[in-house]
Amino acid sequence: MGFAAVNTGNNLLFLIVSSLLGFMAVSGCLGWMNLRNLGVTVSLPDEIYDGKDTFVTVRLENRKRFLSAFLLRVHISGKDARFPLVEKGCVESDAVTLVFRGRGSKLLEKATVSSPFPINFFVRRRSVSLSVPFTVFPSPRECPAVGGTGKKDARGDAFSRSKGFGGDVAAIRDYTASDPLKLIHWRLSARQGELKVKEITAPSEDPLIIDVLSLPAGGLEENLSCAAYLVNRAFRANRAVGLKVGSRLVRPDLSRTHRLRLLTELAVYGTR
Amino acid sequence: MVHVRTVLDILALVTGLLGTAPLFFHLNRIPQFVFLAALVFVIFAAWKGVPPLRGWRATVTTGVFFIYYALQFSRDNLVEPAANLLVVLLSIRLAGEKIPRNYLQIYALSLFALAASSAFSLSGAFLGYLGLLLLSIAVSLVLLTFFTVDSRLSLTRRGLRRVASVAAAMPAASAPLILLFFVILPRPQFPLWDFLSPAGEKVAGLSDRVEPGSAASVGEVASPVLRARSEKLPQKDLYWRGVVLNTPQGNAWIRTEIPGREIPPPKGVVMVRQTVFPETTASPWLIALDAPWSVSGVRSGKSADLVFRKRRSSGGRLKYDTVSAAHGAIETKEGIDRDFYLKLPEKVSPRVLSLGRSIARQGGSDSVRLSRLEGYFQSAGLRYATRDLPRSADPLDEFLFERKAGHCEFFASSFAVLLRAAGVPSRLVGGYYGGEYNELGGYYLVTESMAHAWVEVFLEERGWVRRDPTIYAVNFSRERDGKRRGLVATVRLIADSMSYYWNQTVITYDLDKQLRMVRATGSALRTLSFPSGVRRAGIPLLVAGFLLAVCLVGAKRKWGSREQRVVRKFLRMVGKRYPHISISPSTGLLELAERTGDPRVRRFADIRYGALYRDRKLSERELSLLEDITRAFAASREIVRDIERTSGTSH
């Protein structure tokens, strides 16, 4: 078109060429503005296992005053979260499945925001700093049951400190509104004139301490994987579990925070 | 929800229409038919769910048309086959299957079609079409980007509105850039391929032959011939000189180039300067106000009888400057070839000849004979008419003695023949008479309907003198094209002004104008001056204001907003008041309130988080409160320090 304009000196062709150039410049500007004033935050779950699918929520905030943001793609660790339209001042979220390789403490440093907007001739990119620390736990790998009493019916040998439904009566106390009806001790209630309930323990086993390095799985990584499996299995079985890694000993406990602490110990072992 | 694909299809149709519309009436029948058929097919297919044209059918159709038009290409016939082919290709694309690439082809072909239309018409409507086309293409391209990302994407109406409004803002935002690029894009001094820009609907223009009696009637075409930027002149002076016809041939008058020395311009006469913007015509004559002494701004040749002829047949628009002496005479010092200007047509009717001879027989000078002939015309009862014109073998005889009605060519032609018969040298001038003065634009509009012919008579003492025998018609009115008023006339006036400015600013913009603009800007910058008061006070103020603005922006960047500043200061105060508590930028206010147990910190946190967690900014009142708390905190710290100091000294 420019060639035709120069060759013919026809000003209407010059007008078309000028329009196209002007249009390209404005579209370039618009594409640049589209990627400005964006906030990307990533929410990682607190349990991330080596080599396992992990759902990650990506939130994109459009902090622009006047313009909506269009056709954005947030690229994190090889996967894309897509945001066709984020209105001005709004936040949208999308979930991506990521797989993290290698255990240990890691840092999700940055994400790349890209967009072909407004016209699909170029794709613009911009890096956004994330700096999200996270820990990848060893991938749990099944290994032979160890550390039990060896008996098949060992479950129920010990009483858990937490309440449950499968054990023996541990105590009798006054009824509260949150107690299930089946726990009411009718005979005692009739005798005493007010509602009494039974507190029943959950079936449990003796606390378990896993000595990671003497597990029979093989190398260090295999042992760590095996330990992660055992930790999770023990918690599912409502069994207090502790850890012995080298010279470091973590006492047995039952809380979720404790379990994450154990898994973190396994994750970072030997990496610091 | 709206499917992006549906919107894209509708916009493709609109884009195709906008590209083809300005070209449509310049196309051959086949592309016209193909385009209309494609439109009908697209609408019908969308309505009935018929599959689009695809596969080998589309390819073969394209191939056949391509070969058909390729065979018509030649150096002299390049634009027309190209335009026809463009529209056919566009039609096939519109009717065909559409993947993202095809949509892009439709936009490109539409733009090319619009570009091709500029080879046929230079009308200002082009700008309107271009604007709409850009708008349609901008929205389409943005939606196409969405479509490319996900071909089954649907948008909510609100989302679609958002996308469309941002896309539509693009052509609007690019307007200043378009203007800038238009002004600065390099223009060639001469177009390389001038044949590609034959430019425009040509008006007939001046004929180099006057032949009264060749048609029973003449049309009144109001298409513009030229616009001349000029001061307002008396109506009687508005003779626009084109060509001088000096030789009778049968019933016609033609032009014979005569050698002669250039005549110097008259002295003591007021010269009128004009800039003429002619419409593109096939005629080679440059028209200027009678009598033109110079024409500049275009390469032209000047004859001794003040006829200016274009040197190159330029396709594009012209403009030229003229200098004229509008007093109706051309003085010649050297005399003329009288025999040449007394030559009569081979066949002159006896009645005409005897009338001329009788005037001659009465004797007297040339000017006396001229007066006698004028007296005859005044008393002959001739009428001006454009219908039922004399068409016999001798139309002048019929005009003078039988019908006594004719248009300017009859009047001028018979007047000149009679003068020559009476022994007075004369010649015919073809041009235009009158002109509508456009007060808005300050120019005269001369239209085809103002075409006129008059006579120049040679008088020894004065030179060639203009005489318009048509004014002796009994029904003559000098204002015949003069004053037309009313709404329609006003609208026409405004429309013509727009057309004038369009031609002046856009169509005739060239290298010369570019250079002049650069020179003007350069000299304006060199001579840039302010009144001394402004220079003394204004410039330092301007500089100070600019520095202040830079500092403010810098300060805001460095120290943050008022809210950030007050929070920072408060944390600093808390840090000093409770030195045992470590405070980092990430320490939360609530956490701090808990650790210090200080109710003022708690209050501060409540106010700040009250706004933060409701996703709103702190109000002016809340900000003042925070500042008050910070001040109070600082004051109490001073008191504590004073107490500590006093107790320290008392020890």
Side-chain angles (χ1 to χ4, degrees), chain A residues 159-160 167-172 198-201:
Chain A
F159 295 121
S160 140
D168 297 335
V169 175
I172 302 284
K198 298 172 270 189
E199 269 194 358
I200 295 169
T201 59

Side-chain angles (χ1 to χ4, degrees), chain B residues 304-500:
Chain B
D305 52 2
L306 301 185
V307 170
F308 293 85
R309 191 189 178 110
K310 272 185 273 186
R311 277 267 166 77
R312 289 168 76 248
S313 94
S314 165
R317 295 252 169 182
L318 290 178
K319 75 160 218 198
Y320 48 89
D321 298 307
T322 63
V323 180
S324 311
H327 66 306
I330 300 166
E331 289 89 357
T332 52
K333 294 260 171 355
E334 297 188 350
I336 53 157
D337 178 357
R338 285 187 73 94
D339 290 342
F340 178 75
Y341 287 108
L342 286 174
K343 204 186 282 173
L344 284 166
E346 299 115 42
K347 263 176 53 189
V348 185
S349 82
R351 279 196 280 189
V352 173
L353 201 60
S354 74
L355 177 61
R357 298 278 186 249
S358 72
I359 290 170
R361 268 197 303 278
Q362 289 171 41
S365 65
D366 285 354
S367 55
V368 173
R369 293 178 203 193
L370 171 65
S371 309
R372 251 181 234 135
L373 184 61
E374 283 175 325
Y376 174 80
F377 263 67
Q378 271 170 341
S379 57
L382 300 169
R383 280 187 310 108
Y384 183 86
T386 51
R387 290 165 185 284
D388 299 325
L389 301 170
R391 292 208 65 190
S392 62
D394 195 341
L396 293 189
D397 185 84
E398 192 185 348
F399 164 66
L400 284 172
F401 306 111
E402 310 280 330
R403 291 193 188 230
K404 300 206 169 199
H407 53 70
C408 59
E409 288 185 5
F410 287 92
F411 279 87
S413 205
S414 52
F415 198 76
V417 169
L418 284 169
L419 275 175
R420 285 191 177 194
V424 185
S426 63
R427 62 192 185 191
L428 238 66
V429 183
Y432 297 88
Y433 169 68
E436 217 172 307
Y437 194 69
N438 190 319
E439 306 273 358
L440 222 59
Y443 66 89
Y444 277 103
L445 169 69
V446 176
T447 60
E448 198 67 55
S449 60
M450 298 175 191
H452 195 51
W454 62 92
V455 176
E456 279 179 354
V457 189
F458 186 77
L459 303 176
E460 284 295 345
E461 63 277 22
R462 291 184 60 197
W464 288 103
V465 180
R466 182 177 67 218
R467 278 293 179 272
D468 185 359
T470 315
I471 62 169
Y472 302 124
V474 288
N475 56 347
F476 176 77
S477 152
R478 231 180 234 294
E479 306 288 327
R480 70 184 161 117
D481 274 306
K483 309 260 186 279
R484 271 183 267 171
R485 287 288 174 262
L487 185 66
V488 178
T490 312
V491 170
R492 218 165 61 89
L493 187 94
I494 293 169
D496 195 72
S497 306
M498 284 163 71
S499 180
Y500 167 75

Side-chain angles (χ1 to χ4, degrees), chain A residues 29-73:
Chain A
C29 261
L30 202 61
W32 175 75
M33 280 158 71
N34 193 41
L35 294 186
R36 300 257 308 159
N37 289 328
L38 296 174
V40 179
T41 44
V42 173
S43 307
L44 294 166
D46 45 15
E47 283 181 58
I48 301 170
Y49 294 96
D50 179 15
K52 303 277 181 198
D53 282 353
T54 309
F55 274 102
V56 176
T57 308
V58 183
R59 296 172 82 243
L60 186 84
E61 184 188 3
N62 178 9
R63 300 195 195 113
K64 284 191 272 286
R65 272 194 200 175
F66 304 109
L67 280 179
S68 302
F70 302 96
L71 285 177
L72 296 163
R73 189 175 286 191

Side-chain angles (χ1 to χ4, degrees), chain B residues 231-264:
Chain B
E231 63 197 89
K232 202 166 179 181
L233 299 166
Q235 184 75 16
K236 66 174 180 55
D237 288 343
L238 294 178
Y239 283 89
W240 306 91
R241 187 187 178 89
V243 58
V244 171
L245 305 169
N246 45 23
T247 312
Q249 188 187 60
N251 287 332
W253 284 82
I254 60 162
R255 175 171 177 75
T256 309
E257 286 294 343
I258 45 149
R261 303 243 314 261
E262 196 162 299
I263 313 163

Side-chain angles (χ1 to χ4, degrees), chain A residues 1 6-8 10-23 25-27 30 68 70-71 82 84-85 87 116-120, chain B residues 111-112 115 118 127 130 134 138 141-142 145-146 148 158 162-163 166 170 174 178 182 185-188 191-193 196-197 502 506-507 509:
Chain A
M1 198 72 87
V6 170
N7 272 340
T8 57
N10 184 339
N11 274 328
L12 299 188
L13 294 182
F14 274 104
L15 208 57
I16 293 186
V17 175
S18 312
S19 305
L20 293 181
L21 288 174
F23 186 76
V26 168
S27 72
L30 202 61
S68 302
F70 302 96
L71 285 177
R82 287 157 195 262
L85 172 66
E87 302 237 16
F117 184 82
I119 44 180
N120 197 19
Chain B
L111 210 55
F112 285 139
S118 73
L127 195 64
L130 180 63
L134 280 182
L141 278 175
V142 172
T145 308
F146 279 81
T148 313
R158 183 186 155 85
R162 284 267 178 287
V163 176
V166 170
M170 281 202 290
S174 57
I178 294 175
F182 181 76
L185 277 178
R187 300 298 201 282
L192 304 177
W193 288 355
L196 263 181
S197 49
W502 169 253
V506 177
I507 301 295
Y509 184 77

